Amino acid sequence: IITDECINCGACEPECPNTAIYEGGANWTWSGGTHLQQVELEDGSVLAGDAPQEPVSNDFYYIVPGKCTECKGFHEERQCAAVCPVDCCVPDPDYEETEEELLTKKAWLHAEVEA
């Protein structure tokens, strides 16, 4: 998560390999930075990958938990936290995932589309 100590500097956004970080108030998409053309949600509904989603925060940069892999499979450490000048990119205690779960999510987000 990005805490409310965020100064909206934007340093974290370009560092995310999954495009899981967005500016406050900005809509996000599953397909942004991924190969996802459609996504099946937990309730069984299916969305187009490029369907705009509501912002998680209107005031600060935010991380979409469903797209965040904590940089597993890309880097040794979370890149958002590494570049944050005020240390407000921190693990979300309400959304903990194992390394195996994060690597599975990375593979899902970046699976090549069959031609």
Side-chain angles (χ1 to χ4, degrees):
I1 60 172
I2 298 176
T3 67
D4 59 6
E5 285 88 28
C6 177
I7 59 172
N8 287 316
C9 71
C12 56
E13 185 179 22
E15 300 302 320
C16 182
N18 300 312
T19 317
I21 301 175
Y22 295 85
E23 186 174 0
N27 288 342
W28 62 276
T29 65
W30 286 100
S31 64
T34 75
H35 291 287
L36 298 175
Q37 294 183 357
Q38 65 180 19
V39 176
E40 183 174 345
L41 302 178
E42 290 178 6
D43 66 4
S45 61
V46 177
L47 293 174
D50 61 356
Q53 304 299 304
E54 292 292 318
V56 173
S57 171
N58 286 315
D59 300 318
F60 304 102
Y61 277 81
Y62 64 87
I63 299 171
V64 175
K67 291 179 71 176
C68 178
T69 62
E70 297 180 18
C71 295
K72 297 291 182 190
F74 293 104
H75 304 286
E76 294 296 316
E77 64 182 343
R78 294 176 292 114
Q79 296 300 289
C80 57
V83 301
C84 182
V86 293
D87 296 325
C88 67
C89 295
V90 298
D92 183 348
D94 296 328
Y95 204 85
E96 294 181 8
E97 295 172 288
T98 66
E99 183 171 353
E100 182 180 337
E101 289 170 325
L102 293 167
L103 289 171
T104 298
K105 186 190 311 183
K106 181 225 182 237
W108 173 69
L109 288 167
H110 298 282
E112 291 293 329
V113 178
E114 303 261 339

